[in-house]
Amino acid sequence: MERVLLALNAGSSSIKFALYSLDAPGDPVAMCRGGIEDIGDMPRMSVRFFDGRPMWQHSWTHGAGLSHEALLKPLLAWIETQFGRDMLAAAAHRVVHGGGTYSAPVLIDEQVRRTLEHWIPLAPLHQPHNLAAIDALAALCPDLPQVACFDTAFHGSLPERATRLPLPREYAAQGLRRYGFHGLSYEYIGRQLQASAPRLVNGRVVAAHLGNGASLCAMQGGRSVATTMGFTTLDGLMMGTRTGAIDPGVLLYLLRHGMDVDALENLLYFRSGLLGVSGISGDMRELERSSEASARQAIELFVYRVVCGVGEMAAGMGGIDGLVFAAGIGENSSLIRSAVCQQLAWLGVVIDEQANASHASCISAPASRLQVHIVRTDEEAMIARHACTVLSREHGPPPSAPQTWAANA
Ligand code: ADP
């Protein structure tokens, strides 16, 4: 019988999760990870051991319109069968937006839950799903302690000039400022670099989290000093279905010429980016497979925006010593990494194409002025670590950091 922690990352089309043992001597131990894919269509759940071996699968006979409660109930039942009755000790969630209120993870109570709702308009693609998972677990296990870990929190170290929007001062007082996102991923990347490249982490690093959502973070001494996402998750790089930064005049033009706000939001979040430019897909794998000219154009624009963004981040730090690729595209696409690195040759980047093709952890050639790394990011591990800190503060002793640190280092 082991007490377990459930770390959850609930998104719009999928829920990722991982389970950690809280009972092993020393640090909590990562036991398995899983996901529920295709929410809203025909959901299916799978759980794997951390080494990838399959552990459990579940599917639903009908999918459309299933609530988070209906989706999470079988998972809780399986946890009970696997680990014993009442052995689920806590759940911890990735919550995209903590606004100006939460700069650190927090135990969720009614007031925290209400406050998190304020930030839905700033992250309409994520926050409602994060909250739906919290509500579902509260309904299914009312006494289960739940912890919220914020994507914005890591960017609490941003200098004032990196957070201020060039608007009249009164807007800042209303919370209109740059926050930054993907913080759990960047925090994890910083810690991994601490172990694998300790000298680099004290230098000037640009980390590129390139998934369906994409952003860059300039880090010095493992702390965020600049980032491309801002007030919302729309800013910065071009993404799977989001525009990234776009001339605000375009938005005024569209509003003046008949588009309403809801349609504009839908356009910016769901119909643009790789999907909009290619007209084919927002999924990089599909675009790489396609022979259509529009797919090539979309990839070229994605790379161009990453390259320009790296230049901006480097300029803000007065230089750059290392570049890190992470997330679905950053970890798996040798084509994108190679294209980005080639266009950054002027900065002194020389890529080792063989290391790049085999997704090695260091992909820069010895002659490169910059070190270039791939880090397999793990937001759930970061969530588990934070949850343990919060729970030990609230409920006394155990756990500290998940043992996956050592395993992944
Ligand atoms: P999310 O932001 O939803 O967590 P991920 O980090 O899983 O997204 O990244 C998803 C993106 O990664 C998709 O565009 C997908 O096509 C891309 N991707 C995953 N594997 C590969 C691969 N082998 N080659 C190119 N792109 C990949």
Side-chain angles (χ1 to χ4, degrees), residues 7-31:
L8 275 162
N9 182 349
S12 54
S13 64
S14 70
I15 299 175
K16 296 177 187 168
F17 55 83
L19 285 163
Y20 296 83
S21 165
L22 300 178
D23 282 346
D27 296 337
V29 179
M31 295 185 297

Side-chain angles (χ1 to χ4, degrees), residues 390-404:
V390 170
L391 292 169
S392 59
R393 198 173 59 217
E394 299 283 335
H395 299 293
S400 48
Q403 280 185 355
T404 39

